[in-house]
Amino acid sequence: MITIVEAISKKSLTDYVKFPFSLYKNHPYWIPPLIDDELETFDKVKNPAFDNAEAYFYLAYRDNKIVGRISAIINWEEVNNQQKKKVRFGWWDVIDDIEVTKALLEKVYELGRKNKLEYVEGPMGFSNLDKVGVLTEGFNRMGSMITWYNYPYYKDHLEQLGFVREKEYFESVFSFSDVKPETFAKASDLIEKRYSLKTVTFTKTKDIIPYVDKMFDLFNTSYAKLASFVAVSDRQKEYFKKKYIPFINPEYILFILDKNDKMVAFSIVMPGFSEALQKANGRLFPFGFYHLLKAKKHSKEVLFYLIGIEQEYLNKGLTSIIFREYYTVFKQKGIEICNRTPELEENNAIHNLWKNFNSHIDRKRRTYRKDL
């Protein structure tokens, strides 16, 4: 018999966070999250996502043993302002038993019907800055800190329960040794002069902070047309500023300003933390912090996290400036592998950025939908 219990107490939420650690124990490609970081994500006081969203966390038990978990989420900004009558599900992990998945999803359906919503979509988090999608291809390659890994049967469970594909995401990789600077070096100088642009780069994290609010404003405008986009609020800006910026090498963040010092483009690249997170196994102490710090300084992999460009500057070659700056930094640091984060299949603008790079798709993931 399967029993579904809402995780409310700190202990039950900790059990919720820790369940994947047993499900994927010693798995070579699963990347453990930081336990305290996950608990803070689910804290309705600390996480500003709850200003515009509600979420419930459920554990599935059989014979007093946890066999699955799921979150049921409503982003009210999306429902009320975008008129998307959707209930989300995320942080879904389960043993290979479709009855467990079915029982967990019933809690998501209940929340949707209670609020007169029309369909379910997932897996996805509170917003576009959270993890997204079921992995459908690329199971034999290590994941990243910003994506979920899952067994192949996850997709099968959803399809057998009547879910259909909603959005497709591609993840790509390329070797830094294949990058040819002549494809962007000369153009970058011409574009800077033509549009009177200047690049702002950093060596200290504290110098980045004054620009972060403007960066998120540009993020909100440059990504607004994408499906299911939810703007970052002022309180979320402060939250992300404290939570994520210190993890990123300051050299991996850059901004492009126009002659009036208005931000017209930004880019964030993250060091490859995957192996460090595996060694940390969910905990910063006693040794996890050391592994992450070492990766921050010495990882030979990078992850292109976000690139945002003002609408009026799209297709004007600003990415050549971004690539020029990163080429110099990556060469100094001995970077070998460059990874791209999940990109929507329909986002042709972002795909075109990489047309001169010898990149290939190595993972695919998707969200699934079911009408209520």
Side-chain angles (χ1 to χ4, degrees):
M1 181 179 175
I2 301 165
T3 304
I4 306 298
V5 177
E6 184 179 354
I8 299 174
S9 68
K10 184 173 181 179
K11 182 187 181 305
S12 60
L13 282 169
T14 301
D15 290 340
Y16 182 93
V17 169
K18 287 184 174 180
F19 170 65
F21 285 77
S22 60
L23 187 66
Y24 294 97
K25 188 176 182 180
N26 298 322
H27 195 290
Y29 304 125
W30 179 69
I31 306 303
L34 294 172
I35 293 169
D36 287 345
D37 186 61
E38 287 281 89
L39 286 170
E40 185 175 301
T41 298
F42 304 143
D43 189 316
K44 298 180 182 181
V45 175
K46 293 181 180 179
N47 188 350
F50 286 97
D51 292 351
N52 297 305
E54 61 179 283
Y56 304 88
F57 310 100
Y58 297 100
L59 288 165
Y61 287 84
R62 177 187 284 144
D63 299 327
N64 295 317
K65 181 181 178 181
I66 298 173
V67 290
R69 70 169 189 171
I70 204 166
S71 61
I73 304 165
I74 300 177
N75 188 307
W76 287 110
E77 185 81 13
E78 179 179 54
V79 173
N80 294 327
N81 295 341
Q82 298 181 26
Q83 296 301 303
K84 291 182 179 177
K85 306 300 184 182
K86 174 172 79 182
V87 57
R88 301 170 172 225
F89 72 91
W91 287 277
W92 168 51
D93 287 289
V94 66
I95 64 170
D96 191 6
D97 184 334
I98 196 169
E99 293 303 318
V100 179
T101 294
K102 185 177 180 181
L104 286 166
L105 283 167
E106 283 295 335
K107 304 305 293 187
V108 184
Y109 305 155
E110 284 177 17
L111 180 64
R113 289 171 181 142
K114 175 185 174 183
N115 289 279
K116 296 181 172 55
L117 301 180
E118 296 173 357
Y119 68 100
V120 182
E121 185 184 354
M124 59 202 320
F126 300 101
S127 74
N128 301 69
L129 291 174
D130 289 316
K131 299 176 183 180
V132 67
V134 164
L135 189 67
T136 58
E137 293 183 26
F139 298 100
N140 61 345
R141 192 165 183 274
M142 192 179 292
S144 74
M145 70 180 295
I146 63 166
T147 57
W148 283 311
Y149 185 86
N150 57 263
Y151 290 116
Y153 61 77
Y154 280 42
K155 174 178 82 79
D156 299 335
H157 282 200
L158 292 175
E159 291 177 355
Q160 289 171 35
L161 291 171
F163 280 78
V164 296
R165 188 185 88 159
E166 177 69 358
K167 300 183 189 74
E168 192 86 11
Y169 296 82
F170 300 148
E171 296 174 56
S172 302
V173 63
F174 59 92
S175 170
F176 181 67
S177 63
D178 289 341
V179 177
K180 309 301 180 188
E182 58 268 20
T183 62
F184 49 79
K186 185 177 180 180
S188 63
D189 294 336
L190 292 172
I191 290 162
E192 270 185 332
K193 292 176 183 177
R194 181 182 301 167
Y195 299 111
S196 301
L197 302 174
K198 62 181 178 182
T199 307
V200 183
T201 58
F202 305 92
T203 57
K204 296 178 180 178
T205 300
K206 67 179 181 65
D207 295 333
I208 300 169
I209 302 303
Y211 294 88
V212 174
D213 285 355
K214 291 180 181 178
M215 181 193 75
F216 278 120
D217 289 339
L218 180 52
F219 170 78
N220 285 342
T221 57
S222 60
Y223 282 78
K225 293 183 179 180
L226 292 182
S228 296
F229 177 79
V230 179
V232 177
S233 69
D234 289 342
R235 204 161 83 87
Q236 283 176 305
K237 292 175 189 177
E238 293 301 314
Y239 180 71
F240 292 133
K241 198 182 297 184
K242 295 174 183 176
K243 187 172 182 178
Y244 294 117
I245 298 300
F247 265 102
I248 304 171
N249 302 38
E251 302 97 323
Y252 289 174
I253 296 179
L254 65 87
F255 305 125
I256 299 177
L257 311 182
D258 67 10
K259 60 184 178 182
N260 299 315
D261 287 335
K262 177 187 176 183
M263 188 179 296
V264 296
F266 73 88
S267 181
I268 300 176
V269 170
M270 301 181 73
F273 283 121
S274 296
E275 291 184 8
L277 285 166
Q278 284 188 331
K279 291 175 182 176
N281 198 32
R283 301 190 182 279
L284 276 178
F285 300 101
F287 303 115
F289 188 78
Y290 165 77
H291 294 305
L292 290 170
L293 186 61
K294 185 179 178 182
K296 182 178 177 180
K297 291 182 177 181
H298 303 296
S299 176
K300 300 305 179 186
E301 288 198 31
V302 291
L303 180 69
F304 280 83
Y305 183 46
L306 282 176
I307 293 177
I309 299 174
E310 185 74 55
Q311 288 292 320
E312 65 180 285
Y313 284 93
L314 286 175
N315 304 316
K316 291 185 177 178
L318 269 64
T319 49
S320 64
I321 303 172
I322 293 171
F323 295 144
R324 179 196 67 194
E325 296 298 324
Y326 281 140
Y327 184 83
T328 302
V329 173
F330 292 172
K331 194 168 185 179
Q332 290 172 349
K333 290 185 173 292
I335 298 302
E336 298 171 358
I337 302 294
C338 300
N339 296 283
R340 290 159 54 187
T341 54
E343 298 164 354
L344 268 171
E345 181 182 28
E346 66 198 51
N347 191 354
N348 293 319
I350 198 73
H351 301 321
N352 287 336
L353 298 184
W354 309 100
K355 60 185 178 183
N356 293 320
F357 294 79
N358 188 24
S359 63
H360 65 274
I361 296 170
D362 68 334
R363 277 174 296 215
K364 292 183 180 180
R365 60 182 64 244
R366 66 177 60 137
T367 60
Y368 280 88
R369 169 182 173 142
K370 184 176 182 178
D371 292 338
L372 291 172

